[in-house]
Amino acid sequence: ELFDDSLVGSPHVVIGQGSSPVYGIIPTNTTSGTHYRVRVVSSNPVVTGLDNNVDITIRARRRFLGGDWALASSWLDGILPVANDNVVFDPPGGGQSMISGNFTVFSLTLATGDALEINSGASLTVTGNLNLDALQGSIQGAGILKMAGSAAQVINVAAGTSLNNLLIDNAAGVTLASPDPLLVNGSLTFLNGNLNTGSSKLILPVDAIVTAGMGTGWVNGTLERKIPAVPPNPITGIVTPSGGAV
């Protein structure tokens, strides 16, 4: 049986039956949690065993179909994700997909090349890994994507993927785990921890804004910053000297 040890009166769900060895399957609708336990119960002879005495973390996998993140109808199973959930962004047919509030998930995977937009004043916090698996996939909008885990995090990058506003708040650091570069179009903010490029590189356009306090974090690795030619064309005109010299 499987149960949540942190909840008084938590239901005990049968996840497997038979004789030794007994194999269990966790139901797909199991709520995410970090204090699950298992125990063995027998009817003949009647025995209720002790639990395994070690907390088990279960993370639900939620599929975001696109549209408004805050609506249950935008999710395959009609359930909005919670902070411990793994989310897959996999809209079946394009359309606008947006976040208008402040939400937290464990991991986020972009499974298609569609854009996820975080609106102004909104944020999406990821405490696990960010998987930009689809070619040309992007997270856009004036809102902020926060990488704010307590353990080291990874951003997996596919060719042509991009973010708009990225915030790093993880003392253990965030690492790009792909040879493909990551483009951050809008802003890069360091509250705590470094962004490690590994074998990849970070690309910032000429108008991208980088914000960091003293010692709060930096880019560790290859950074490509687009800089315009100054001046873009030869300057021509009339110069009138003052005092007889130029």
Side-chain angles (χ1 to χ4, degrees):
E1 294 179 343
L2 175 73
F3 64 99
D4 189 339
D5 191 51
S6 67
L7 298 177
V8 176
S10 170
H12 290 66
V13 179
V14 176
I15 59 173
Q17 294 178 322
S19 56
S20 180
V22 178
Y23 298 96
I25 298 177
I26 297 174
T28 56
N29 62 346
T30 301
T31 303
S32 294
T34 58
H35 298 284
Y36 279 97
R37 301 283 181 93
V38 292
R39 70 179 185 182
V40 176
V41 177
S42 171
S43 58
N44 186 19
V46 177
V47 175
T48 299
L50 299 175
D51 66 54
N52 60 305
N53 200 35
V54 176
D55 286 337
I56 300 170
T57 297
I58 296 177
R59 304 190 191 280
R61 184 176 185 267
R62 308 294 183 198
R63 182 183 172 193
F64 181 41
L65 301 176
D68 188 338
W69 182 286
L71 297 180
S73 58
S74 298
W75 298 88
L76 180 63
D77 54 7
I79 301 174
L80 271 66
V82 296
N84 285 319
D85 287 351
N86 298 307
V87 170
V88 177
F89 176 52
D90 189 17
Q96 186 180 29
S97 300
M98 61 183 179
I99 295 176
S100 298
N102 300 310
F103 299 93
T104 298
V105 298
F106 181 72
S107 72
L108 175 65
T109 298
L110 268 63
T112 72
D114 294 288
L116 174 60
E117 183 166 348
I118 305 176
N119 291 335
S120 178
S123 68
L124 178 62
T125 299
V126 177
T127 58
N129 292 341
L130 174 63
N131 304 304
L132 304 174
D133 289 350
L135 300 180
Q136 308 302 320
S138 64
I139 299 178
Q140 304 175 355
I144 300 173
L145 174 71
K146 301 178 181 181
M147 299 295 289
S150 57
Q153 293 175 270
V154 168
I155 300 178
N156 293 298
V157 184
T161 54
S162 65
L163 305 176
N164 196 39
N165 298 317
L166 175 63
L167 183 147
I168 306 296
D169 186 12
N170 184 341
V174 179
T175 299
L176 304 184
S178 168
D180 292 308
L182 175 64
L183 173 63
V184 176
N185 285 304
S187 68
L188 175 61
T189 303
F190 291 94
L191 288 185
N192 192 16
N194 300 335
L195 178 58
N196 308 300
T197 64
S199 61
S200 180
K201 67 179 176 180
L202 176 68
I203 301 176
L204 298 176
V206 62
D207 55 348
I209 299 171
V210 179
T211 304
M214 181 66 69
T216 58
W218 54 83
V219 176
N220 181 21
T222 304
L223 169 63
E224 179 181 310
R225 183 68 183 258
K226 303 293 185 181
I227 300 177
V230 181
N233 296 297
I235 297 176
T236 59
I238 299 174
V239 177
T240 302
S242 176
V246 178

